[in-house]
Structures are given as C-alpha cells and as structure tokens.
Amino acid sequence: MSMIRDLRAAVRPALRRSRTASDYDATRDPSVTSAVVDCAVYRDGKRVSDHVSPAKAMERVRQEGGFAWIGLHEPTEREFAGIAQEFGLHPLAVEDAVQAHQRPKLERYDETLFTVFKTIHYVEHAELTSTSEVVETGEVMCFTGRNFIVTVRHGGQGSLRALRHRLQQDPELLTKGPSAVLHAIADQVVDGYLAVADAVQDDIDEVEIDVFSAATSRRGGDAGRIYQLKREVLEFKRAVSPLLRPMQLLSERPMRLVDPDIQKYFRDVADHLARVNEQVLAFDDLLNSILQANLAQATVAQNEDMRKITSWAAIFAVPTMIAGIYGMNFDYMPELRWKFGYPTVLVVTVGICFAIHRGFKRNGWL
C-alpha cells in the first residue's frame, strides 16, 4: 500500500504539469465551477453559448471570433488559478482580485486592463442610532482584454446578473466588445453611488433637524449618531474619490482595449462620478458643522446648568450664614433674649432669599 501511495504522489505532479492552459476545463474541477457565476461567448452582439467552461469559451472565441465574459464570485486562489492561466492574467492583479479589499484603481498589465470598483449599498434602518450601519461596501474587479472580460465580485451586493441580461437586450452595444461591458459595469456602480447619496442626504437632514430642534438643543443632541454617520460618509468617500482618476483616464486617454465609441460614454460616467464626489465632500463638511453645533449646544447647556447651580447655592448661602451666626455659643449676643427675635430672623432670611431669587430670575440665571 505504501508503494502505491508513493507512486500516486510521483504521478500527480507530472499530471498537473502536463495540463496546459489550452486544455484546462473548469467543468472538471468542482472548486472552480463553484466560483463561476456565469460564462458565455458573445458574437455580433448576441450570446452564442451557455454553460461552458472558461477554457471552452476561449477556444470558441479563438476559432469563431467574438468575446467571452466570465463572472466569478469571491473565488479562492485555487479556484482562480486555472482561469488566470487561461487568460494570461498578471500574478499581481490576480493576487489583488483574490484578496479583495483593494482601493479603486485602473492598472494596465501587458494586454489587459485591471479595474477595481467599490460598490456601495444603502442599508435600510427604521431609526438612525449611534451603531447603525448606513452603507455596505463590496467590490467588482474587471480584467478586460481584446476578446474577453473577467469580472470578480466580492460582497453580497453589486450583482451583475441583471446588468448582463440588460446588455443582452442591446446587441448593438455588445458588438463594441469587452469595453462595452466595462462601461456598463462602471455606469451601474456610479448610478448606485447616486442612489446612496440621496439616501444619505435624507439621514443627514434628519440629524440636522434633530440637532437644531428646541428639545434637542436643551439636552445637547446626540453626538454618537452624528459621529457614526460621519464614519459611514467617510467609507462612502473612500469608494468614490479614488475612482475619479481611473474614470478620467478611461474617458480622455486613448486606449487600444477601449473602443473609441465607448470612450465617449465613459465621459458621462466620469461626470456623474464627479457630481457624487462633490456631494460626498459636502456631506463631510456639513456633518462637521453639525457636530460642532451639537458640541456648542452641549457647552451652552452645561453653562446654563452651572448658572442655575450657582444661583441656588447663593440663595441657600443666606440662611446658612444667618444660622451660622446665631449658632455661635457667646454669652452676650443681641436679639437672643428679644421676644420677636426668632420671627424677625425668619422674615429677614426669606426676604433676602426672595430678593436674590428674583434678581437671578430677571437676569435669566433661573
């Protein structure tokens, strides 16, 4: 038995080395098919193949033309290895695609464009609290070549299924090749930013109204909610701002892998992205102002409380002082043997306290 195991161990590496990129078939590897969401060949703007492996798809593209679109969801390094080999993807880009948590960017590796998009999803909540999650992020990474596009998605949001169906209803656009798919993905991501920006604006308006309402002004508002919203806006900003430069390059710089007609559409995406970026920057500034106003209101409320405490301390100081004087054990003190001494002291004490209280009330301390 040990000899058989040794023989198998020696044969397996040879078998792995003998499998080349051209004969790699993902349908024979369950670990790969589990990561592939969809794989199809498009020719003349129409989908011409279904349920094929990436290797079979590229084989048909090389023989008959068109391009292949392979979609994956959170592949592991092992699941992505065969596809990376088949399409000649750069190891650095493959590492980024597998590990995720990348900054939005556009990089060129030989004859492949590697693009990273951050997807943003607004998390619905009945009431904004200091622990509410407002935005949820994901990632879509695209490897765009002359006759293929490989999309890698991370996170539960940002599905491309509906986008694929919508593109298949527009054959004229799909005839432009993989760059048309890249534009459609960028457009969908940025449109998502616009929708999230509108929803976040509603949350900021709600917090602003609450901070400047009469009841909240008395208690100084809720700095925890404002700070949590500011953190979520910062997460939004990290997705939007770094994408400005890649969109500018795709819309302005001629690229062999981007059809000139499609490049015009990238200008519209870049314009929408610039508008969202301005909104996010405005959100950040507005939240800073709201937070400062909230802290100022809290300071004012504390000052008012201190004035009230000081006023009452001054009022109670009068009877305390009088009681302290008459509590001294001297043999000879005026009014000690006087018949009306006690009621006179009480009347004087109440009168002084009333006068002080009225003065503080008139000055707004009480």
Side-chain angles (χ1 to χ4, degrees):
M1 291 298 291
S2 61
M3 294 177 61
I4 295 175
R5 284 196 297 269
D6 293 341
L7 180 62
R8 287 177 179 174
V11 171
R12 282 173 183 168
L15 290 176
R16 282 197 293 267
R17 287 193 298 269
S18 65
R19 176 177 290 186
T20 63
S22 59
D23 64 9
Y24 184 83
D25 190 349
T27 58
R28 299 176 185 174
D29 192 344
S31 66
V32 173
T33 56
S34 64
V36 176
V37 177
D38 200 353
C39 179
V41 175
Y42 296 87
R43 189 181 308 112
D44 298 326
K46 298 180 180 179
R47 182 168 178 151
V48 296
S49 67
D50 282 310
H51 308 298
V52 295
S53 68
K56 293 294 184 183
M58 283 306 297
E59 182 179 351
R60 293 196 60 176
V61 168
R62 295 188 185 100
Q63 294 176 354
E64 304 171 11
F67 73 93
W69 180 0
I70 297 89
L72 300 96
H73 181 246
E74 297 184 352
T76 64
E77 185 176 355
R78 178 172 177 268
E79 291 171 336
F80 201 36
I83 295 175
Q85 182 184 10
E86 175 66 43
F87 293 95
L89 306 181
H90 197 279
L92 291 177
V94 171
E95 182 181 358
D96 289 345
V98 172
Q99 292 182 355
H101 305 295
Q102 301 297 316
R103 189 173 183 266
K105 60 184 177 179
L106 172 65
E107 296 177 342
R108 181 168 181 173
Y109 296 95
D110 299 328
E111 294 299 315
T112 304
L113 287 179
F114 177 59
T115 315
V116 178
F117 300 97
K118 282 277 190 181
T119 57
I120 298 290
H121 171 69
Y122 180 77
V123 180
E124 296 290 344
H125 44 266
E127 182 181 0
L128 182 65
T129 66
S130 59
T131 58
S132 294
E133 185 179 13
V134 179
V135 295
E136 184 180 29
T137 61
E139 291 179 51
V140 175
M141 306 177 183
C142 303
F143 295 88
T144 309
R146 289 186 175 276
N147 53 7
F148 69 88
I149 180 166
V150 178
T151 57
V152 181
R153 183 168 61 89
H154 289 269
Q157 308 298 328
S159 174
L160 301 178
R161 187 181 301 275
L163 175 64
R164 187 188 288 263
H165 292 321
R166 188 165 65 251
L167 282 174
Q168 290 173 176
Q169 302 301 319
D170 191 356
E172 183 178 354
L173 186 61
L174 278 178
T175 57
K176 302 297 182 181
S179 60
V181 179
L182 179 63
H183 162 263
I185 293 172
D187 189 48
Q188 175 172 288
V189 170
V190 174
D191 284 347
Y193 293 167
L194 291 169
V196 172
D198 292 339
V200 172
Q201 178 69 67
D202 293 337
D203 283 336
I204 294 177
D205 291 342
E206 178 185 343
V207 169
E208 186 177 18
I209 292 172
D210 187 44
V211 166
F212 290 100
S213 65
T216 309
S217 298
R218 296 292 299 172
R219 58 182 174 85
D222 187 355
R225 292 197 308 157
I226 304 172
Y227 187 72
Q228 176 66 15
L229 189 55
K230 184 172 174 60
R231 290 185 61 183
E232 296 297 306
V233 168
L234 180 61
E235 188 73 18
F236 195 3
K237 183 179 178 181
R238 288 173 180 168
V240 175
S241 296
L243 192 58
L244 288 171
R245 181 59 179 168
M247 287 298 102
Q248 184 181 5
L249 293 175
L250 287 171
S251 62
E252 296 178 359
R253 180 177 296 180
M255 297 183 182
R256 287 180 295 175
L257 297 176
V258 179
D259 189 280
D261 293 333
I262 295 298
Q263 193 169 36
K264 301 175 184 177
Y265 289 96
F266 275 112
R267 297 173 188 170
D268 184 62
V269 177
D271 180 64
H272 290 170
L273 182 64
R275 191 177 75 184
V276 175
N277 185 63
E278 291 175 358
Q279 283 184 277
V280 174
L281 293 177
F283 291 163
D284 195 33
D285 292 339
L286 181 58
L287 285 171
N288 284 334
S289 300
I290 294 174
L291 185 59
Q292 290 175 1
N294 179 77
L295 295 176
Q297 288 176 345
T299 303
V300 170
Q302 289 176 355
N303 290 337
E304 290 180 355
D305 293 339
M306 289 302 299
R307 287 192 297 181
K308 290 180 180 179
I309 294 172
T310 303
S311 300
W312 284 111
I315 292 172
F316 283 109
V318 174
T320 302
M321 180 187 66
I322 296 175
I325 292 173
Y326 283 93
M328 293 186 292
N329 297 319
F330 290 105
D331 291 335
Y332 301 100
M333 290 185 65
E335 295 92 24
L336 287 181
R337 306 297 179 182
W338 187 32
K339 180 179 180 180
F340 301 101
Y342 178 71
T344 301
V345 170
L346 289 181
V347 171
V348 171
T349 302
V350 172
I352 295 175
C353 291
F354 177 76
I356 296 175
H357 182 274
R358 185 175 181 182
F360 284 139
K361 194 80 172 179
R362 183 180 300 172
N363 294 329
W365 284 48
L366 288 176

